[in-house]
Amino acid sequence: MKRLFIYGLILTMLALCLAGCSRNGSDFSYVSDDTVWENGQEPSETATSKPTKKAKKEKNTTVSQAPEANEDETVRKNDDVTIVEGPQDGSARTTIETQFYSVSVPKGWEGIYTYELDYQPQGGYFLAFYELKDHQSFGGGTVMTIGLYPEGEDFSYLPDYKQYGTLTTPDGSYSIVILYPTDFQYTTENASVYEKMTDQIPEVLDSIKASDGSTIRKA
């Protein structure tokens, strides 16, 4: 009799345990990613969504302000020079403004010339003018180069040059030297164009003006 009582007690306890586990199991909910949420409540969409990637920050680019153009003029500016182009009807010349001086291009040069600026911190500052076609075809076409040499630097070794004057700036003084090519620079096809440009070199040189705060004293 006593043994039957013990068996009954054990069965009763097992039944109670199973009932408890069944109730506790209803308090959990499982999701496919093996994450367990309490009380069967899934978090809201805001809570479960992954943080969005921050928008890519664009570089803060600063555009240099070019001088204000007059009517019908076009102004283009890069890191080295400002180009002020006259009206397309050819009534005004194009001006190239460097950090040291400005120089104007004859009206007849439009469409037949190009230029290159070369700055050498230890050796000078050079603005070269070229006849366009021959410069593009074989690297020739050099008409002349306006060179700035730190005052006191020797340039007498140059094969063909003319000292134009002295440029005085807030940062120092420079000798203005005009360099001329000594080798063959043009083809027969472009000879007349090249010769026209070389004939107008004095006009280009007469247009050189010092930048604000600087002065030019001609030789």
Side-chain angles (χ1 to χ4, degrees):
M1 186 72 179
K2 185 177 179 180
R3 184 176 296 176
L4 291 173
F5 174 76
I6 293 174
Y7 285 157
L9 183 60
I10 292 173
L11 290 173
T12 302
M13 292 176 66
L14 288 172
L16 290 174
C17 288
L18 290 173
C21 289
S22 177
R23 285 195 302 272
N24 291 338
S26 65
D27 291 339
F28 293 87
S29 173
Y30 294 85
V31 293
S32 59
D33 61 356
D34 297 328
T35 302
V36 180
W37 309 114
E38 292 185 357
N39 301 323
Q41 298 295 324
E42 293 187 11
S44 65
E45 183 180 352
T46 303
T48 59
S49 59
K50 295 181 179 178
T52 56
K53 293 183 179 179
K54 293 183 179 180
K56 185 177 181 181
K57 187 176 181 181
E58 295 184 2
K59 293 182 179 179
N60 182 20
T61 55
T62 303
V63 179
S64 300
Q65 295 297 321
E68 192 172 319
N70 297 323
E71 186 176 359
D72 296 330
E73 285 184 343
T74 301
V75 177
R76 294 184 287 111
K77 186 176 179 65
N78 58 35
D79 292 339
D80 301 314
V81 298
T82 297
I83 306 296
V84 182
E85 296 179 344
Q88 296 300 310
D89 60 7
S91 60
R93 299 191 297 178
T94 292
T95 299
I96 300 174
E97 299 176 358
T98 73
Q99 67 182 88
F100 295 105
Y101 60 86
S102 66
V103 59
S104 295
V105 176
K107 299 176 186 178
W109 284 23
E110 297 300 329
I112 63 171
Y113 88 102
T114 187
Y115 72 90
E116 290 179 359
L117 187 64
D118 181 21
Y119 176 54
Q120 301 174 10
Q122 303 303 322
Y125 186 93
F126 305 92
L127 177 62
F129 291 92
Y130 304 92
E131 188 276 319
L132 180 60
K133 288 186 178 180
D134 283 334
H135 187 61
Q136 290 178 335
S137 64
F138 69 96
T142 305
V143 176
M144 69 164 180
T145 301
I146 301 173
L148 299 182
Y149 291 86
E151 190 173 38
E153 183 172 331
D154 180 32
F155 49 83
S156 61
Y157 63 87
L158 297 171
D160 191 359
Y161 72 93
K162 173 184 177 182
Q163 185 168 5
Y164 178 83
T166 301
L167 171 69
T168 302
T169 76
D171 298 324
S173 297
Y174 300 85
S175 297
I176 306 174
V177 182
I178 311 304
L179 294 77
Y180 300 101
T182 57
D183 53 353
F184 192 79
Q185 293 292 321
Y186 60 91
T187 60
T188 303
E189 178 185 359
N190 295 314
S192 61
V193 175
Y194 184 87
E195 291 170 356
K196 171 186 176 181
M197 295 177 71
T198 55
D199 288 344
Q200 292 179 306
I201 287 177
E203 183 181 344
V204 176
L205 299 182
D206 286 343
S207 72
I208 297 176
K209 295 180 180 179
S211 299
D212 291 343
S214 302
T215 58
I216 290 178
R217 185 181 72 254
K218 292 185 178 182

